[in-house]
Amino acid sequence: MQSFRAPTRSALRSFWLVLSATVALIGAAALGWSLGLPAVVWDLALFGLLAVVGWRTPGLATRPYRAWERLVRKARRATRLWLTGVVFLIVTIVGRLGGRLSLAGPTPPASAWVPKKRLPDRSYGADSDVVQASGPEIGWARRLATWSWRSGNVWVWSLIPLLALLKRVEGESRGSLGGNVYTLY
């Protein structure tokens, strides 16, 4: 999702026209339902007047544009938190119902370390012991379908739409973490 930039004259005009049209449609629906057709005509005339005023002086739209920017930022943050919570809820439910994901930690003297088994020759495209086809003609969806079906993790497909939505509301990267980040290689 794009973050807002300093608004240009054309962006302010466009925002004002969309804002005026939205207010006019909501007003026409409310007035048409309660007062009838003559009120809708007055509402549309008011939209025309507002649209012309906003077109000639787009600076009027600066404050509503900034308010909309703040509202969108808060809505994006709330959506991101909600979607992340739903993804973790699905993973937790699958883990509790007996999926291959272990949610219980080891007893204190033991370790959760599990040595990696030798994988079949055709499975080195991934870390799974499920044999999968590889190559440029095999897309990620086909590989995921093969892996999820053969490993018994078909529930993974429920995460795809949520992760796609999460990607859309993620926002822009905040940049580098700086020079004091150490790697573990």
Side-chain angles (χ1 to χ4, degrees), residues 26-173:
I26 292 171
L31 291 175
W33 180 68
S34 62
L35 300 175
L37 188 60
V40 172
V41 172
W42 280 106
D43 183 61
L44 293 177
L46 179 63
F47 162 70
L49 178 67
L50 284 174
V52 168
V53 168
W55 188 264
R56 294 177 98 8
T57 56
L60 289 173
T62 303
R63 293 185 89 187
Y65 184 85
R66 295 290 181 210
W68 179 256
E69 181 182 15
R70 284 190 303 276
L71 179 69
V72 166
R73 194 176 298 125
K74 289 180 181 183
R76 182 178 10 181
R77 186 179 310 126
T79 304
R80 190 172 50 236
L81 286 172
W82 184 81
L83 284 171
T84 304
V86 170
V87 167
F88 280 115
L89 178 68
I90 290 172
V91 170
T92 302
I93 289 171
V94 167
R96 296 277 185 223
L97 292 177
R100 290 175 54 169
L101 177 66
S102 175
L103 295 179
T107 57
S111 169
W113 178 261
V114 177
K116 186 174 178 180
K117 296 181 281 186
R118 176 144 168 57
L119 299 177
D121 291 337
R122 292 184 51 210
S123 68
Y124 283 106
D127 275 341
S128 173
D129 55 353
V130 175
V131 176
Q132 298 179 21
S134 61
E137 69 279 352
I138 307 295
W140 69 268
R142 189 168 166 196
R143 276 195 306 265
L144 181 65
T146 303
W147 172 82
S148 65
W149 185 260
R150 290 182 181 167
S151 68
N153 290 314
V154 180
W155 64 270
V156 167
W157 281 95
S158 67
L159 297 178
I160 300 296
L162 296 170
L163 293 175
L165 287 172
L166 192 58
K167 175 68 176 157
R168 294 292 300 159
V169 297
E170 189 175 59
E172 291 184 358
S173 172

